[in-house]
Amino acid sequence: MNLLGKLDWNAIPLHEPIIMGATAFMVLVVLVVLGFVTAKGAWLYLWREWLTSVDHKRIGAMYCILALVMMLRGFSDAIMIRAQQALAAGGAEGYLPPEHFNQIFSAHGTIMILFMAMPFVVGLMNFAVPLQLGVRDVAFPTLNSVSFWLTASGALLINVSLAVGEFSKATWWGYPPLSELQYSPGVGVDYYLWSLQISGIGTLLAGINFVTTILKMRAPGMSYMRMPVFCWTALAANLLIVAAFPVLTATLAMLALDRYLGFHFFTLEGQGNQMLYSNLFWVWGHPEVYILILPAFGVFSEVMATFSGKPLFGYRSMVAATMAICILSFLVWLHHFFTMGASANVNGFFGVMSMIIALPTGAKVFNWLFTMYGGRVRFSVPVLWSIGFMVTFVIGGMTGVLMAVPPADFQLHNSVFLVAHFHNVAIGGVVFGVMAGYNYWFPKAFGFELDERWGKASFWCWFVGFYIAFMPLYLLGLMGMTRRMQHYDNLSWQPWLIVAAFGTAIILVGVVCQVVQLVVSIRNREKLRDVTGDPWNGRTLEWATASPPPAWNFAFQPKVAGLDAFWNSKSRAQATKDEPTQTRKYEPVEMPKNSATGFVTAFFAVVIGFALIWHIWWLASVGVFGAFMTLLAFSFRRHSEIEVPAEQIARFERAHQAGVAA
C-alpha cells in the first residue's frame, strides 16, 4: 500500500519551464511576505486582530484582499491566453502546448468567477451590510469566519494545482464526458471538484448568515422599505445563494461519485445522462451570474445617490426590480444550451424569459440616470466606475438579448462572440461594480482615502483596454471563430487577436495603476486621513461611525425614521442642534469573542481536499477527525462573548468627536 496514494515526484511538472517559473515566483512572493511579517514582529498582532477575528469588518476586508490576490492570478492567465492566440496562427504554434493552454483557460474562468468575483462581492457585503442595518455584527459571527476561511482553502487548493499535479482541462463548468475519468484520468478535475466543494460550502454558510442578518437584525425603525438598496441587493443575492449553491454541491458530488466509485450519473456507457449535468450546473450557474451582479447594482445605487447629493430616484421600483431579477434568474438557465436538442417550445419559453429579465435591469439604469439628473454630481473615482458600468453593461445586455433569440444563438453559440458578451457583463458589471465599492468604502474601512489621480488612471486604462480587448471578439465570433482555440489556420483572424492582446496589455497597465494607487495611498495616508468618518457626505448609517469603525460599530443603537437614515439625522442635527454625543450615558457592550475555529477548520479542509485529490485515504481521515474535533471544541466553548467597558467606548467616542471638531 502506497502511503502517499497517487502522489510521487512525477506530480511536480519539472519539464514545464513556464509552470515552474510561475511556481518559483509564487513561492518567492509568499516567502517575502512571511519574512516581512516576521521582521516586523507582527505575527501575534495578525493572529489576534485578523486571523482569529470574527469582526464582520475584518472578515470583509480579508475577503477583498483574497479577491485582489486571485485577480492577479486569474489575470495572468488571461494575458497568457491572449498572447497565445495572437501568436499561434498558421505555421506558428505559439508558446503554450495544448495541454497547458487547456489548463489555463479552465483555471482562468474558475478563478475569476468563483475566487475573485465571489469573494469580492461577499467581502463588500460583509463590510457594509451590518453597518447599513445599524447593527453590531452579523447573526453568526464565528460562522462568518468559517465561511471566509473555507473560501480561502479552496483558493489555496487551486494555487497548489499549479505546482503539484495539474488543473482541470475541462473548462470552468466541467462538462462530462470530458470531466469523467475516461477522458481526464489525472488529478486536474479532482482539484476542480474539491476546491469548488470546499469554497461552495463556505459560500452557502455565508448566504444563510446574511439572509438571517438582514431579515432578523435591523436597527429600530428600519422596516424593509427603509433599508438601503445595497441591503436589498445583498438580500436578493444571498437568497439566490441559499437556493442555488446546494444544487452545485449535489452536482459536483455526483461527478465525484462517478470518478471515485464508478457511479454512472453522467456516463453514457453506464446509462447515465450527460445533459443532466448541463441542466443541474446551469440551474446554479445562471443564478450565480445574478449573485455577482446584484450586489454590484447595490453599489452603483449607493454611489450615485451619494455623489449626486440627492435621494436615489425610484427607490420602490429599484426594490421591485431587484426582487424580480431574483425570481426571474431561475427561469433562464436553458439558454446556455439552446443547441442541444430541446424542443422549439422549450427554447422559445427560455428565450422569452431571457429577454424579459432585461426589463428590470433597464429600469435600474434609468433610475441611476434620473438620480444624476438635477444633482450636483461629483466625478470622483467611484462615480467614474459607475458611469463606465452603465455604458458598458448596456452594450453587453443588448448582445445578451440577441443571444436570447434561439436562431441567433444557433449561429453564435460556442463562438468568441459569447466570450465577448460574457466579459462585457462580467467586467463591465461585476468588476466595475466591485472597484466602485472598493474605492467608495476604502476610507471607511481603513481610515484614509485612496489616491484619486492613480484611481482615475486605473479606471481609464480598464475602460479603454476593455473595449480594445473584447470588441474585436464580437467581430471574430461573427466570422466563425470558436472558443478555446489554442491554434488556428485562418490568418484573417490574427490582426483582430493582436488588437485584443493589445487591449489586455492596457488593462494590465490599469491593474498596475491600482497597485500603485494602494502603495501611494498607504505612503500618504496621513495626508489622506479621514477624521470625520464621512468623507463623501454619505446618506446611510455606515457613515455615522468613525473611520475605521470600532469593533462595536455604534456606541448607541441608531433609531431610523425614514430612508437615508444618516442624511436625515444630519439634517435634524443642523436644524435642532441635538444634544452632543459626549454628554450621553454610555453602557458596556457585549461582543463576540475571537475564535480560531475558522482558521483551524480551513487547515483541516485543505488537508482533506489535498488527500482526496491524491487518494491519500489515511490523511483524509486525519483531516475529517481534526475538523470534527475543532467543531466539537467550539460547541463546548465556555465563553463566547467579551464585554467592552463603557469607559473604553466613551473614550473612543470623545476622541472621535474631538477629531471631527478639529
Side-chain angles (χ1 to χ4, degrees):
M1 178 181 176
N2 185 2
L3 289 178
L4 296 181
K6 297 163 62 176
L7 183 63
D8 56 29
W9 286 109
N10 293 325
I12 301 176
L14 297 171
H15 59 286
E16 295 280 1
I18 295 176
I19 294 177
M20 295 314 298
T23 301
F25 177 76
M26 189 167 64
V27 171
L28 178 63
V29 170
V30 171
L31 291 176
V32 168
V33 171
L34 295 178
F36 178 79
V37 173
T38 303
K40 292 290 186 180
W43 283 112
L44 187 59
Y45 167 78
L46 278 178
W47 178 256
R48 287 179 175 175
E49 298 296 327
W50 291 90
L51 302 183
T52 62
S53 176
V54 296
D55 184 344
H56 71 94
K57 301 179 290 297
R58 294 285 172 91
I59 292 171
M62 288 191 290
Y63 265 114
C64 294
I65 292 168
L66 173 65
L68 289 169
V69 171
M70 295 304 288
M71 183 179 75
L72 295 177
R73 166 68 206 280
F75 186 67
S76 66
D77 291 335
I79 293 172
M80 296 177 74
I81 293 169
R82 284 286 150 258
Q84 170 67 18
Q85 291 189 327
L87 296 172
E93 294 296 329
Y95 68 101
L96 287 175
E99 294 289 303
H100 190 189
F101 183 80
N102 292 347
Q103 290 183 58
I104 285 174
F105 69 66
S106 300
H108 172 70
T110 305
I111 287 170
M112 286 306 217
I113 294 169
L114 290 157
F115 295 102
M116 190 286 283
M118 272 302 295
F120 224 138
V121 298
V122 174
L124 293 177
M125 290 188 293
N126 242 302
F127 178 81
V129 166
L131 288 167
Q132 290 194 334
L133 293 175
V135 298
R136 292 198 165 100
D137 213 315
V138 294
F140 311 112
T142 305
L143 190 67
N144 199 21
S145 172
V146 172
S147 300
F148 165 72
W149 286 109
L150 288 178
T151 302
S153 300
L156 178 60
L157 284 176
I158 287 271
N159 285 294
V160 168
S161 72
L162 180 67
V164 183
E166 61 181 4
F167 191 65
S168 172
K169 308 180 190 73
T171 74
W172 78 270
W173 52 85
Y175 278 170
L178 190 57
S179 56
E180 293 283 1
L181 203 58
Q182 179 180 357
Y183 297 98
S184 295
V187 296
V189 174
D190 300 321
Y191 268 112
Y192 169 84
L193 283 173
W194 295 113
S195 61
L196 264 63
Q197 284 288 49
I198 292 169
S199 65
I201 292 170
T203 302
L204 177 59
L205 295 177
I208 294 169
N209 209 344
F210 278 112
V211 170
T212 306
T213 302
I214 296 170
L215 294 182
K216 305 300 291 185
M217 296 176 63
R218 300 188 303 278
M222 184 172 283
S223 62
Y224 289 128
M225 296 311 292
R226 290 176 178 175
M227 290 197 307
V229 171
F230 183 72
C231 293
W232 272 107
T233 58
L235 175 62
N238 284 284
L239 286 171
L240 290 175
I241 287 174
V242 172
F245 264 80
V247 179
L248 176 67
T249 300
T251 306
L252 297 180
M254 285 188 277
L255 181 57
L257 289 171
D258 278 9
R259 290 181 59 84
Y260 281 77
L261 297 178
F263 282 41
H264 297 287
F265 287 106
F266 310 123
T267 56
L268 292 178
E269 295 84 355
Q271 305 303 309
N273 186 345
Q274 294 171 11
M275 279 301 299
L276 173 63
Y277 184 94
S278 300
N279 263 293
L280 290 173
F281 184 88
W282 288 113
V283 165
W284 163 81
H286 205 84
E288 166 67 7
V289 174
Y290 293 99
I291 290 169
L292 297 177
I293 197 63
L294 280 170
F297 288 168
V299 171
F300 298 131
S301 299
E302 302 298 333
V303 167
M304 285 305 184
T306 298
F307 287 93
S308 297
K310 55 182 287 196
L312 182 69
F313 182 90
Y315 171 84
R316 290 181 178 272
S317 64
M318 276 290 201
V319 172
T322 297
M323 301 316 292
I325 291 171
C326 180
I327 295 168
L328 291 171
S329 66
F330 268 108
L331 300 175
V332 297
W333 81 88
L334 196 128
H335 69 217
H336 288 274
F337 40 97
F338 273 151
T339 62
M340 294 189 183
S343 70
N345 289 337
V346 171
N347 281 356
F349 172 81
F350 282 92
V352 170
M353 297 310 297
S354 300
M355 297 177 201
I356 288 175
I357 202 170
L359 297 177
T361 305
K364 285 176 174 284
V365 172
F366 281 110
N367 282 348
W368 292 318
L369 291 172
F370 288 140
T371 301
M372 296 174 67
Y373 180 76
R376 299 177 63 87
V377 183
R378 292 167 286 156
F379 290 95
S380 189
V381 175
V383 176
L384 293 180
W385 286 109
S386 301
I387 295 173
F389 148 78
M390 283 193 283
V391 175
T392 307
F393 192 81
V394 166
I395 295 172
M398 288 190 295
T399 60
V401 172
L402 172 64
M403 297 192 70
V405 180
D409 187 75
F410 267 71
Q411 299 299 316
L412 300 172
H413 188 81
N414 208 40
S415 74
V416 291
F417 188 98
L418 178 58
V419 175
H421 158 69
F422 180 77
H423 284 82
N424 212 153
V425 295
I427 294 179
V430 181
V431 176
F432 282 21
V434 296
M435 290 307 165
Y438 166 70
N439 283 273
Y440 181 60
W441 280 308
F442 189 94
K444 175 55 60 179
F446 295 103
F448 59 94
E449 298 176 32
L450 287 169
D451 185 87
E452 282 276 312
R453 185 182 60 173
W454 283 105
K456 289 178 179 179
S458 173
F459 162 74
W460 284 112
C461 288
W462 268 94
F463 185 74
V464 174
F466 166 79
Y467 281 93
I468 297 176
F470 289 100
M471 292 301 114
L473 299 191
Y474 282 121
L475 296 174
L476 288 167
L478 294 171
M479 293 166 66
M481 181 178 178
T482 57
R483 294 185 284 175
R484 303 183 293 276
M485 296 187 72
Q486 184 263 349
H487 175 268
Y488 51 93
D489 294 320
N490 190 335
L491 295 180
S492 67
W493 296 347
Q494 189 174 29
W496 295 108
L497 289 167
I498 292 173
V499 172
F502 179 67
T504 305
I506 296 175
I507 297 176
L508 175 61
V509 176
V511 173
V512 171
C513 287
Q514 286 176 302
V515 175
V516 174
Q517 178 196 32
L518 184 59
V519 172
V520 170
S521 302
I522 294 173
R523 188 186 63 195
N524 299 333
R525 60 187 178 276
E526 290 305 322
K527 185 167 63 174
L528 297 169
R529 182 73 61 190
D530 168 34
V531 296
T532 66
D534 184 22
W536 312 127
N537 195 17
R539 310 185 69 84
T540 45
L541 286 176
E542 73 268 32
W543 306 109
T545 65
S547 297
W552 54 87
N553 287 351
F554 302 95
F556 303 98
Q557 180 85 66
K559 291 181 172 54
V560 177
L563 273 173
D564 294 338
F566 182 49
W567 183 270
N568 291 334
S569 69
K570 287 189 292 186
S571 301
R572 286 197 306 272
Q574 291 175 357
T576 63
K577 305 298 182 185
D578 285 347
E579 179 187 4
T581 304
Q582 59 265 29
T583 65
R584 298 181 185 177
K585 179 177 172 55
Y586 294 91
E587 295 181 357
V589 173
E590 295 286 336
M591 294 298 299
K593 189 178 181 180
N594 279 10
S595 173
T597 302
F599 186 84
V600 177
T601 301
F603 170 79
F604 286 116
V606 172
V607 171
I608 294 168
F610 188 81
L612 289 172
I613 289 163
W614 291 100
H615 295 197
I616 310 173
W617 307 120
W618 66 267
L619 185 59
S621 301
V622 170
V624 170
F625 179 76
F628 174 76
M629 293 305 294
T630 302
L631 297 177
L632 192 66
F634 172 73
S635 299
F636 284 91
R637 69 198 186 283
R638 291 186 177 181
H639 305 289
S640 60
E641 293 184 335
I642 59 171
E643 183 179 275
V644 182
E647 178 52 37
Q648 180 180 343
I649 298 173
R651 189 165 54 248
F652 179 89
E653 291 297 319
R654 283 194 294 266
H656 172 55
Q657 294 297 330
V660 172

